[in-house]
């Protein structure tokens, strides 16, 4: 993984700033968010009164994790080129790794560097982000995927409907299991936390839309970077008799894919199109990935920066986007076509449209309680 990270950095030096650490229109907002957005609308109008020259606009991306995960942080990094190409602005990045003590100094360095907008992603650096935002009130920040509900007045938080993309992943898993004559599928999460269990709940309900009696075996790694432990967990599940696992575990998920290759079983990836990301360097791994539940982070980032340049961002709020906004989905690639029949793919497409049209009743996962998660998880335990 170190070699892969190094390769990514080497290819991107023209876009990178190795300092410190070495959106679509909203479907809905909370009442508080709507009020806050109204309060900032006049200010936003002032910002948009003068045209922004893209050549003079500088964007910084702070990555609070490691590149090379073929998932979440790589998806953030891969937004750099689309932002540059589509909006004509300058974009530089900082990769901070997993040492949280580096997050705040990195943000301070970026604030001092004179960026018009600083992007980041995930809840890993919420404390650092809040502190930096309060100390630099004139600096604008956007977190491309986070759960913070009451951000500072100069911070905008984007969220995604993880249960919607996971619903489609669950349907794909159940259809593949049915093809194999199985009634159980698996789930390996990075950690047993609400953000990951949003994926689990959607996965379970999507599988039940195909097979109401399906069972789901659940396991957690306890880390988003421990590929060895993830592989161990996955092998236990595969050896229990199931053939499909949804790995919502960040970099740890690579261990699940490795186990699938070893066992001749299947995986559903997460956040990025993991089969596409792996097909050149690890074709054997790509070949066992049925699909991936993806966040369209590059598209979301381009839309967010565009809105920021136009003065249309409601800072101080959080907005959540889903299938209807094109913010999430599943990977539909050559492996998807090979590993699922045309009939199965058509069934998933039909379910997708029903979710978009609001015809599917799903458990709301924003703010879901631990008790509710346990109830759903236990109901499908084998």
């Amino acid at each position: 993984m170190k070699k892969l990270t190094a390769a990514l950095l080497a290819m991107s030096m023209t876009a990178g700033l190795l300092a410190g650490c070495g959106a679509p229109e909203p479907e809905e907002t909370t009442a508080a968010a709507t009020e806050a957005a109204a309060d900032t609308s006049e200010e936003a109008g002032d910002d948009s009164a003068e045209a922004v020259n893209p050549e003079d606009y500088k964007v910084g991306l702070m990555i609070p994790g490691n590149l090379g995960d073929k998932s979440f942080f790589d998806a953030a990094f891969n937004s750099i080129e689309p932002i540059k190409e589509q909006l004509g602005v300058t974009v530089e990045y900082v990769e901070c790794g997993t040492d949280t003590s580096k997050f705040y100094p990195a943000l301070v360095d970026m604030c001092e560097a004179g960026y018009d907008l600083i992007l980041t992603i995930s809840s890993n650096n919420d404390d650092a982000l809040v502190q930096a935002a309060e100390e630099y009130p004139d600096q604008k920040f956007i977190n491309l995927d986070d759960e913070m509900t009451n951000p500072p007045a100069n911070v905008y938080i984007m969220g995604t409907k993880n249960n919607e993309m996971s619903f489609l992943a669950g349907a794909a898993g159940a259809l593949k299991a049915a093809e194999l004559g199985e009634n159980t599928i698996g789930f390996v999460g990075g950690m047993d936390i609400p953000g990951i269990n949003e994926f689990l709940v959607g996965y379970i309900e999507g599988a039940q839309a195909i097979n109401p009696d399906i069972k789901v075996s659940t396991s957690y790694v306890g880390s988003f970077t421990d590929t060895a432990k993830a592989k161990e967990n996955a092998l236990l599940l595969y050896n229990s008799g199931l053939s499909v696992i949804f790995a919502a575990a960040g970099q740890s998920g690579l261990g699940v894919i490795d186990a699938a290759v070893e066992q001749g079983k299947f995986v559903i990836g997460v956040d990025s199109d993991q089969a596409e990301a792996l097909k050149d360097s690890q074709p054997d791994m790509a070949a066992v990935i049925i699909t991936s539940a993806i966040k369209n982070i590059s598209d979301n980032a381009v839309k967010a920066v565009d809105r920021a340049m136009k003065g249309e961002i409601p800072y101080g709020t959080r907005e959540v986007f889903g299938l209807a906004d094109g913010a999430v989905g599943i990977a539909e690639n050559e492996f998807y076509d090979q590993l699922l029949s045309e009939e199965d793919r058509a069934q998933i497409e039909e379910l997708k449209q029903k979710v978009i049209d609001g015809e599917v009743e799903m458990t709301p996962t924003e703010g879901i309680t631990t008790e509710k998660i346990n109830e759903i998880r236990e109901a499908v335990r084998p």
Side-chain angles (χ1 to χ4, degrees), residues 98-369:
T98 58
D99 184 352
T100 58
S101 69
K102 295 182 178 180
F103 295 170
Y104 170 70
L107 287 172
V108 168
D109 286 347
M110 297 180 81
C111 289
E112 294 288 344
Y115 290 104
D116 296 282
L117 178 66
I118 295 175
L119 304 177
T120 188
I121 193 164
S122 93
S123 59
N124 287 6
N125 64 338
D126 278 355
D127 291 343
L129 177 58
V130 169
Q131 185 177 353
E134 291 176 347
E135 293 179 8
Y136 293 85
D138 295 329
Q139 176 68 60
K140 301 300 186 187
F141 300 86
I142 294 178
N143 191 314
L144 299 170
D145 191 89
D146 194 6
E147 299 166 12
M148 190 192 308
T149 55
N150 295 300
N154 54 334
V155 176
Y156 172 62
I157 304 294
M158 300 179 72
T160 50
K161 296 183 178 180
N162 299 328
N163 61 324
E164 289 190 352
M165 62 183 185
S166 300
F167 183 90
L168 301 183
L175 287 165
K176 189 64 179 179
E179 174 193 317
L180 298 170
E182 298 175 2
N183 195 50
T184 303
I185 55 178
F187 176 89
V188 172
M191 300 183 74
D192 188 357
I193 56 177
I196 291 301
N197 286 324
E198 288 185 18
F199 291 88
L200 173 63
V201 171
Y203 181 61
I204 290 171
E205 294 185 340
Q208 289 175 325
I210 300 299
N211 175 6
D213 299 320
I214 199 163
K215 301 299 181 183
V216 181
S217 292
T218 304
S219 176
Y220 299 91
V221 182
S223 167
F224 292 102
T225 58
D226 191 340
T227 55
K229 182 64 163 60
K231 180 176 181 179
E232 179 183 328
N233 287 18
L235 288 173
L236 288 172
L237 291 182
Y238 285 135
N239 289 331
S240 73
L242 58 84
S243 296
V244 179
I245 293 176
F246 180 25
Q251 184 175 340
S252 293
L254 295 174
V256 179
I257 302 171
D258 191 24
V261 172
E262 188 174 297
Q263 295 288 306
K265 302 294 180 70
F266 301 97
V267 177
I268 295 171
V270 75
D271 291 334
S272 296
D273 183 344
Q274 293 194 278
E276 183 66 26
L278 288 163
K279 70 176 185 179
D280 293 330
S281 60
Q282 299 285 345
D284 55 338
M285 296 179 79
V288 300
I289 302 174
I290 301 169
T291 185
S292 296
I294 56 176
K295 300 180 180 183
N296 295 322
I297 291 173
S298 290
D299 290 345
N300 298 346
V302 170
K303 292 173 183 176
V305 174
D306 184 50
R307 290 176 68 194
M309 294 173 69
K310 294 175 179 176
E312 297 174 354
I313 291 291
Y315 292 100
T317 71
R318 178 178 186 261
E319 296 179 315
V320 183
F321 307 94
L323 278 172
D325 308 295
V328 299
I330 58 170
E332 300 177 26
N333 51 36
E334 60 189 285
F335 305 99
Y336 182 67
D337 292 344
Q338 293 167 6
L339 296 175
L340 285 179
S341 69
E342 183 177 355
E343 181 181 356
D344 287 348
R345 299 196 306 273
Q347 196 167 351
I348 293 171
E349 185 62 30
E350 182 180 346
L351 281 173
K352 175 182 175 181
Q353 192 58 50
K354 286 183 177 180
V355 172
I356 292 173
D357 294 340
E359 297 177 12
V360 174
E361 184 175 346
M362 302 172 64
T363 299
T365 54
E366 286 283 316
I368 190 170
T369 65

Side-chain angles (χ1 to χ4, degrees), residues 16-76:
L17 174 65
L18 302 182
C21 299
E25 289 301 311
E27 178 178 311
E28 60 182 38
T29 62
T30 63
T34 302
E35 182 179 352
D39 291 341
T40 59
S41 62
E42 183 176 348
E43 180 181 339
D46 291 342
D47 290 342
S48 60
E50 296 183 10
V52 173
N53 183 352
E55 294 182 359
D56 297 331
Y57 198 83
K58 291 178 61 179
V59 178
L61 170 63
M62 185 277 213
I63 300 174
N66 291 321
L67 294 176
D69 63 355
K70 302 295 184 182
S71 183
F72 190 61
F73 293 121
D74 279 3

